[in-house]
Amino acid sequence: MNIGKLNEKCPKCGSKDKTMNRKFDREFQAHATTKSLVCSKCGYVFVTGEDEE
């Protein structure tokens, strides 16, 4: 994932607070992939796991 997205302002509401949802590997819990990065205030989706592939 592009780290720059973490510091980006939301284009809908201007908030910088985000929630990152991750999918953990069942066998190796330390390994995870990004499911989504969404604005904590309005729910705008910055990145989905499908975007990363």
Side-chain angles (χ1 to χ4, degrees):
M1 181 180 74
N2 183 351
I3 299 297
K5 297 271 185 201
L6 293 174
N7 201 24
E8 220 175 84
K9 284 187 178 181
C10 176
K12 284 179 85 174
C13 70
S15 175
K16 284 191 167 188
D17 295 332
K18 295 172 190 66
T19 302
M20 180 183 288
N21 298 310
R22 297 171 22 164
K23 179 180 177 186
F24 288 95
D25 186 308
R26 288 180 189 239
E27 187 175 350
F28 303 103
Q29 292 293 312
H31 298 279
T33 55
T34 301
K35 285 176 60 179
S36 63
L37 181 63
V38 298
C39 177
S40 298
K41 188 173 180 181
C42 73
Y44 176 83
V45 178
F46 286 88
V47 177
T48 66
E50 295 167 359
D51 295 337
E52 295 291 309
E53 294 175 358

